Amino acid sequence: MSDNRSPSGYSASDASGSRPVDGPHAPESVRRALAQTWSDPPGFIGALKALNHKTIARRFIITTFVFFVLAGILSLVMRTQLARPDARLIGPNLYNELFTMHGTTMMFLFAVPVMQAVAAYLVPLMIGARSIAFPRMNAYAYWVFLFGGILLFGSLALNSAPAAGWFSYVPLAGPDYSPGKGSDIWAQMITFTELSGLLEAIVLITTIFKMRAPGMSLNRMPLFVWATLVTQFMVIFAMPSIMLCSTALILDRLVGTHFYNPAKGGDVLLWQHLFWFFGHPEVYLIFIPPLGFISSIIPTFARRPVFGYPAMVLALIGTAFLAFGLWVHHMFATNLPELGKSFFTAASLMIAIPSGLQIFCWIGTLWTGRLNLRTPLLFVLAFFFILVIGGMTGVMVASVPLDLQVHDTYFVVAHLHYVLIGGAVFPLFGAFFYWFPKFAGRMLSERLGRWQFWLFFIGFNVTFFPMHLLGLHGMPRRVWTYPSGMGWDGMNFAATIGAWTIAVSVLLFIVNVVLTLRRGEQAPADPWGAGTLEWSVPSPPPPHNFDAVPVVHGRDPLWEAGAQPRFVGGLAADAREVLVTSVLDAKPDHRPLFPSPSIWPFISAVATTVLFIWSIFTPWAVVYASLPVAVAMILWFWPKRASNAFAAAREQRP
């Protein structure tokens, strides 16, 4: 590590360890060498080999947004069907398929993956790393996710879509009531996406713990990095539950086991326990990363560091712990002991405490700051308004007597969307506007952004607020039509108008992105005057992220007054060499070599896809299709002579 005290405190060595190069940035020759080393190969085959975390993250973000749009189109069809009583736009079977596809796509193909995708792009930049940990695993996770999504929408195109709801309750999803392969496809799609999510969690946790820039101790990490870390630990503990219950479901359907058959000693409530043990933490898998978005956006536009940093971190951790104690509040309508329900009622009320603590810290930051009211901050302020409504209705349905009355009505649909769209999608759009300059090097149009915001805000409330009233007036959810004369006509029509307004807003966002990419304003490295490390590099960042790995002095490195820049020297320019640091204090530890681009993660994902799809039709696929998976992964990890030679030469370097 360089100890130079001057602003030109950069010390880097070339591949042979010869003379150091002074200056805050590497000279052009070293910068070109770094860019060439860390770039993805050109061409179509090169795209399949790509490992750069920014490339994979961009693919993840675009793919998840495509799924978001597809799910939105499905919801528009359903909402148009419900605009008037006794409508016949679509039939009940297709409605059930669209309802299942919409919820499954939003929950499994958009909400959690997009949060991991944004983190995969930003976290290495925020912590001063040149790459993400396990880059080949990161690429493999993307391909598995993509093929799982294609499987689900392929089933809709082939008239074999699942129709038992995104929660796939048994016995409805069992072999007796759901013939065909729809529920089997749903179960295997779950395995696809949850495998991808678990791999991304491992990648992100390792990156955060072991690849932070020197000086970035745990108590100096950006709050978005903390939110990502907490979320990924939740993924590791929650997702095996849904993988277990979906595997048991497909075994019941394909092999003839009886996990969920009471006549043979099974239990249908076992499904609900396993599903919601994942399903309620999933709400916070979706919700906690946007808290990190907000904790990045508010300090920047309030022009001051976030108020109550330790309390914010503890609130994130507390939310994660409490999230695993709430799953039974989805089961208050089942025949569970009343005393047990009371404990989950208490837990459902308690989880509002850490969320309220964070809101007070954000208000304290805004109250004492100098506000710059730009589009990202507008989405954050809307989050406050909408989340309060969603939180209040959440406290209401935490009461067992009220929940029994509204559980199967549109009141719960309204609550769910106020929490998930208000708590996740509004901050996500704010994050897109905030970090788009870093993603693409151009500034999104502020004027189009404000139009999109107001259309989205108005459309959202016009869509979902009437659903509270529909639920209180007795309209059940999961119905494809309803008779006239029930008093539901006007509110359903208003909700449909609001849904189309949301669609116009999303379309305006797409237009904004396309126009910006074509002729938008070029973005400087730090267009907002932010304080975290990702804004210290050009927009978009070079393939290697940092010409020199920085040394961190505080929580907002770019705002630290009087701190002289210091940088790490000695990393090779012609090999993928990274700095690994200690977990607690981020002290330099060692310099491993990262793998080069490879086609084998893609081929392994194809082999895994063949295994999963084949196993929908016969259990013997697990035996026969495991062989190509094993061969692909052996070749994936097979060492290369060039890497071994460089490693040997490096060991002899002074």
Side-chain angles (χ1 to χ4, degrees), residues 251-265:
L251 288 173
D252 274 10
R253 295 176 56 84
L254 190 64
V255 181
T257 55
H258 300 285
F259 290 102
Y260 307 118
N261 184 359
K264 300 292 185 178

Side-chain angles (χ1 to χ4, degrees), residues 404-433:
L404 289 174
Q405 299 298 317
V406 302
H407 182 80
D408 205 30
T409 72
Y410 261 82
F411 188 92
V412 174
V413 177
H415 162 69
L416 176 72
H417 287 84
Y418 262 83
V419 170
L420 292 184
I421 296 182
V425 179
F426 271 88
L428 182 64
F429 274 122
F432 282 156
F433 275 88

Side-chain angles (χ1 to χ4, degrees), residues 425-444:
V425 179
F426 271 88
L428 182 64
F429 274 122
F432 282 156
F433 275 88
Y434 181 62
W435 277 297
F436 192 84
K438 195 55 59 181
F439 294 154
R442 294 180 183 272
M443 302 290 293
L444 285 170

Side-chain angles (χ1 to χ4, degrees), residues 123-124 126-131 204-222 225-226 229 533 549-552 568 579-589:
V123 163
M126 284 185 157
I127 65 174
R130 280 187 172 165
S131 176
L204 288 167
I205 289 172
T206 308
T207 302
I208 293 169
F209 273 162
K210 297 298 294 178
M211 298 185 67
R212 303 193 308 276
M216 187 176 282
S217 55
L218 290 179
N219 66 344
R220 290 178 176 175
M221 289 197 312
V225 178
W226 267 111
L229 181 64
L533 282 178
V549 176
V551 178
V552 174
V568 174
L579 181 68
V580 170
T581 54
S582 61
V583 174
L584 293 179
D585 298 322
K587 295 180 179 178
D589 194 353

Side-chain angles (χ1 to χ4, degrees), residues 625-643:
S626 294
L627 182 60
V629 175
V631 170
M633 289 197 169
I634 288 171
L635 294 173
W636 172 347
F637 290 101
W638 199 266
K640 299 274 180 61
R641 289 185 179 181
S643 299

Side-chain angles (χ1 to χ4, degrees), residues 42-311:
F44 176 73
I45 299 299
L48 300 181
K49 293 181 177 181
L51 294 185
N52 191 285
H53 75 96
K54 296 182 291 296
T55 302
I56 302 301
R58 278 194 295 265
R59 292 176 181 176
F60 252 123
I61 292 170
I62 293 170
T63 305
T64 54
F65 194 79
V66 169
F67 287 136
F68 172 75
V69 171
L70 291 174
I73 292 171
L74 299 181
S75 70
L76 281 179
V77 175
M78 292 188 293
R79 196 63 253 166
T80 305
Q81 161 67 20
L82 292 169
R84 305 301 300 169
D86 298 313
R88 293 295 185 269
L89 177 65
I90 57 176
N93 292 332
L94 180 57
Y95 184 91
N96 284 338
E97 291 180 355
L98 297 184
F99 164 72
T100 303
M101 292 285 294
H102 168 74
T104 300
T105 303
M106 283 296 196
M107 299 300 283
F108 296 103
L109 297 179
F110 170 68
V112 175
V114 76
M115 303 304 174
Q116 290 185 317
V118 174
Y121 191 101
L122 292 174
V123 163
L125 293 166
M126 284 185 157
I127 65 174
R130 280 187 172 165
S131 176
I132 205 167
F134 310 127
R136 290 186 180 180
M137 183 190 293
N138 188 43
Y140 173 77
Y142 169 72
W143 293 118
V144 168
F145 167 77
L146 174 65
F147 296 149
I150 292 173
L151 170 67
L152 181 67
F153 277 88
S155 70
L156 181 62
L158 297 174
N159 200 28
S160 297
W166 71 270
F167 35 77
S168 202
Y169 277 176
V170 293
L172 178 60
D176 295 332
Y177 298 98
S178 290
K181 290 298 179 182
S183 290
D184 302 281
I185 291 171
W186 183 92
Q188 289 299 67
M189 187 281 307
I190 294 297
T191 308
F192 267 103
T193 57
E194 306 316 303
L195 172 60
S196 173
L198 283 169
L199 295 176
E200 281 296 301
I202 293 168
V203 166
L204 288 167
I205 289 172
T206 308
T207 302
I208 293 169
F209 273 162
K210 297 298 294 178
M211 298 185 67
R212 303 193 308 276
M216 187 176 282
S217 55
L218 290 179
N219 66 344
R220 290 178 176 175
M221 289 197 312
L223 284 170
F224 174 71
V225 178
W226 267 111
T228 300
L229 181 64
V230 169
T231 303
Q232 305 320 308
F233 271 109
M234 292 180 68
V235 167
I236 288 176
F237 283 100
M239 284 192 174
S241 177
I242 184 70
M243 296 176 75
L244 177 65
C245 68
S246 64
T247 302
L249 174 62
I250 200 170
L251 288 173
D252 274 10
R253 295 176 56 84
L254 190 64
V255 181
T257 55
H258 300 285
F259 290 102
Y260 307 118
N261 184 359
K264 300 292 185 178
D267 188 357
V268 292
L269 284 186
L270 174 63
W271 171 270
Q272 291 196 37
H273 279 293
L274 290 174
F275 182 86
W276 289 117
F277 185 78
F278 155 80
H280 196 83
E282 186 191 25
V283 173
Y284 292 92
L285 299 181
I286 299 167
F287 177 64
I288 291 178
L291 303 182
F293 298 156
I294 294 167
S295 295
S296 297
I297 293 170
I298 284 180
T300 297
F301 292 100
R303 308 293 188 190
R304 60 147 292 165
V306 70
F307 174 78
Y309 177 95

